[in-house]
Amino acid sequence: MVLTSDVVVTMGLTEEEKVQMPTHGLQQIDWDDLTSLEGRTDLDAAYERIAAKVGELVDALLERDVAAREVDPEVEREVEQVIDDLHAGDG
């Protein structure tokens, strides 16, 4: 699965585990500040932080993808509407 991905996100891996990860030049993002949830009492807050980071990453990837392609203006408006709709569901 990693080899077919555009971006690899890791959380709480040791340096040895990171070296062993078969990313082969893929963009790798470390969310080491979001380490193991084991033993945490603030799981809701941890899940909210993870969800926020995932949302930010999705937005960044969509923006990068749209910027790298020539997109039909109507399709671009539809993508922007989907993003706006997703954000409206956050609150």
Side-chain angles (χ1 to χ4, degrees):
M1 187 167 36
V2 170
L3 297 177
T4 61
S5 302
D6 293 328
V7 177
V8 177
V9 177
T10 59
M11 296 188 320
L13 294 180
T14 65
E15 289 303 316
E16 183 178 325
E17 290 169 327
K18 289 176 189 175
V19 169
Q20 293 174 359
M21 178 76 68
T23 57
H24 301 291
L26 297 172
Q27 180 182 359
Q28 185 171 351
I29 301 171
D30 295 317
W31 289 346
D32 288 339
D33 59 319
L34 299 174
T35 56
S36 174
L37 299 177
E38 184 178 341
R40 292 184 70 157
T41 58
D42 61 340
L43 289 181
D44 288 340
Y47 289 136
E48 287 176 16
R49 288 187 60 212
I50 292 169
K53 282 188 152 296
V54 168
E56 291 168 7
L57 177 59
V58 168
D59 286 349
L61 292 173
L62 286 172
E63 288 175 15
R64 180 190 76 184
D65 192 47
V66 169
R69 298 176 188 221
E70 289 189 28
V71 178
D72 181 301
E74 183 154 337
V75 172
E76 186 173 8
R77 281 191 296 277
E78 289 177 20
V79 168
E80 289 172 356
Q81 183 62 51
V82 168
I83 292 170
D84 290 344
D85 291 347
L86 288 171
H87 284 288
D90 287 345

